[in-house]
Amino acid sequence: MNEYKQERMQNEIHHEIRTMIVDGKINDPRIYPHLTIMHVKISKDGSQAFVFVSSFDAGKQLSKAVEALNHAHGFIQAKISKKYRWKHTPRLFFKQSDALSKGSATIKTIENLSE
């Protein structure tokens, strides 16, 4: 898969999953609208997509949300496949990312140092 197509697919998957979360289209109470899709990385052969999810409240709530997203991967993948009609829609794997909580902690540390 060429880089342009890979990047375009990553952006479209990112957008669709984010929209589904915000609009509440995934009916699972563990998935809350404040989840952030940090990054989507598609494998070179296009068969897999790793979706990195983060939130300011990293911990058990985020772990449960990622678990719920992995449980709903078939539903999410089907919606994406139906919308874009790609020859092969990558299988989705959701991974937890602590980027937002770590960034928030770093900012708080810097603010405390400047006081």
Side-chain angles (χ1 to χ4, degrees), residues 6 41-50 89-93:
Q6 187 177 16
K41 180 66 178 161
I42 295 179
S43 62
K44 295 232 184 251
D45 65 357
S47 64
Q48 300 173 337
F50 297 93
T89 302
R91 185 177 190 304
L92 302 175
F93 295 94

Side-chain angles (χ1 to χ4, degrees), residues 2-84:
N2 69 39
E3 288 181 36
Y4 173 75
K5 182 177 180 182
Q6 187 177 16
E7 187 174 332
R8 192 183 82 234
M9 286 178 75
Q10 288 172 170
N11 290 335
E12 289 168 347
I13 290 171
H14 181 280
H15 174 74
E16 286 305 311
I17 295 172
R18 181 69 196 134
T19 301
M20 291 174 77
I21 290 171
V22 170
D23 293 347
K25 292 184 179 178
I26 307 168
N27 293 328
D28 192 315
R30 298 174 292 178
I31 300 172
Y32 51 98
H34 301 295
L35 289 175
T36 301
I37 305 300
M38 296 300 293
H39 181 67
V40 176
K41 180 66 178 161
I42 295 179
S43 62
K44 295 232 184 251
D45 65 357
S47 64
Q48 300 173 337
F50 297 93
V51 182
F52 296 91
V53 182
S54 190
S55 176
F56 283 110
D57 22 303
K60 284 191 176 187
Q61 189 175 8
L62 178 58
S63 297
K64 288 180 181 183
V66 170
E67 184 181 307
L69 287 166
N70 276 312
H71 182 73
H73 83 273
F75 170 78
I76 298 167
Q77 186 175 328
K79 291 288 186 183
I80 291 170
S81 178
K82 187 174 181 179
K83 180 171 183 175
Y84 291 104

